[in-house]
Amino acid sequence: MSLLRLRTINDTGEMGFSDEHVRTLDPIHFDRLLATVWQANAAGDVQALLSLTRLIVPPVADVERMSTPETLATMRDLGILLGSIKRNGAEPVSEISSLEEVLRLLAQRSGLIPRDTIHHYIRWNPTGRRERMYTGLPMERLLMAAVRISLPRLSDAVDLCAVLDSADPGDLAFALAANELAALVGSLEDSIDTVLASVTPEFFARTMRPFFEEIRVGDETYLGPAAAHVPLSVVDLLVWACDHGGDEYLEFADDSVVYGLQHWKPLHGKWRRTRSLVTRVTEELRGCSTEEMLPLGMYASAEALCRTMRSLMVFRGKHLSIARKAYAADVGLYELGSGGGSVAMLEAITDATRAISTLLRRSVTTHMKDMS
């Protein structure tokens, strides 16, 4: 995929329309119900939430006539109610029999799961007075703003990884794409810093985490719109994790890709069976003589990949610190995170990221000569 083609995709959206178009839509007239949903959640009134859902769930015939953007907006709005009902003790599809067919049809029309995802909750969610939230509280809005920093950039990073996968580490095209990848992944630091500054671990653990509980649709269960389902694991796979990630993280990545955009799934499958960019670059470096100056393209590629790994390492360290506090026995209500991962898994990923980052930096330093 050329960089020009990548720009074309990202300008219009991977699904052929702009994200902003989805944000403008209100196909089931949810705008007028936002304050009522927040009040029902504050009161723990599950019957009110069930009544609202019965009122606005669209007939199957209406869903069949919807455009793809309308199906996304509909799932976005129903999703707020699904998470709210489950948070307040009921299984939404069991309580409202008409929901299952509607959710399955919305999923079929959009190519996504039969529940809302992080893309519905963040990417296709309007901001300002129309922003769909579970609570309406300032900390929820700030938490969403933090994810909004990184989600579109990590989506771009997945497409950029497809460029890197087909390029040679010594080529200028690889170096240019690797530098852009480093900048995109760097957004994770801004995102996690926003959370650290604005959202307490107690608020996430006790107020927000219950809204992301899994719901049952037929014989399957689906997690809520967890921030853990941003496509970081897809990026990780190609950058370093496919051959350094460990079984637990790779299994987590396999589970998480289900919640992603459709065109990521074949990339995930391919990158599960390849050599990572870190491996490719370190092997290229080993083939270079330590007595000679590195070619400019190779040096630029290696340095950009080092910056990418450093950003991942910094993000993971801060994320782990938050998770330890949010899931501490005296604070949290759950053993697993909203994306299904444990604190122990985060610790292992953080350690692995740090080790691979150090390994790559040492390899570059060994072969580095004066580039002036």
Side-chain angles (χ1 to χ4, degrees), residues 31 34 38 127-132 141:
D31 282 356
L34 273 171
W38 300 342
T127 55
R129 63 180 181 81
R130 295 185 59 238
E131 190 166 26
R132 277 70 170 130
R141 195 181 297 273

Side-chain angles (χ1 to χ4, degrees), residues 114-188:
R115 187 185 180 171
D116 57 318
T117 68
I118 192 65
H119 303 281
H120 297 87
Y121 183 50
I122 300 295
R123 181 178 194 148
W124 297 316
N125 196 344
T127 55
R129 63 180 181 81
R130 295 185 59 238
E131 190 166 26
R132 277 70 170 130
M133 296 189 289
Y134 298 102
T135 69
L137 296 173
M139 275 196 193
E140 181 181 3
R141 195 181 297 273
L142 288 163
L143 184 63
M144 296 171 75
V147 182
R148 196 171 285 115
I149 293 170
S150 59
L151 179 57
R153 291 168 179 82
L154 287 175
S155 298
D156 289 348
V158 174
D159 294 318
L160 198 61
C161 281
V163 176
L164 287 161
D165 187 31
S166 60
D168 186 282
D171 291 346
L172 183 59
F174 187 104
L176 292 170
N179 273 285
E180 189 166 354
L181 179 66
L184 292 171
V185 171
S187 68
L188 286 167

Side-chain angles (χ1 to χ4, degrees), residues 80-138:
I80 294 294
L81 289 165
L82 296 176
S84 297
I85 291 167
K86 185 61 184 278
R87 186 259 179 275
N88 287 289
E91 194 67 59
V93 175
S94 298
E95 296 287 340
I96 304 173
S97 58
S98 61
L99 260 179
E100 181 171 351
E101 187 176 4
V102 169
L103 293 176
R104 290 193 183 281
L105 185 55
L106 288 169
Q108 178 187 335
R109 298 289 307 280
S110 65
L112 301 169
I113 63 166
R115 187 185 180 171
D116 57 318
T117 68
I118 192 65
H119 303 281
H120 297 87
Y121 183 50
I122 300 295
R123 181 178 194 148
W124 297 316
N125 196 344
T127 55
R129 63 180 181 81
R130 295 185 59 238
E131 190 166 26
R132 277 70 170 130
M133 296 189 289
Y134 298 102
T135 69
L137 296 173

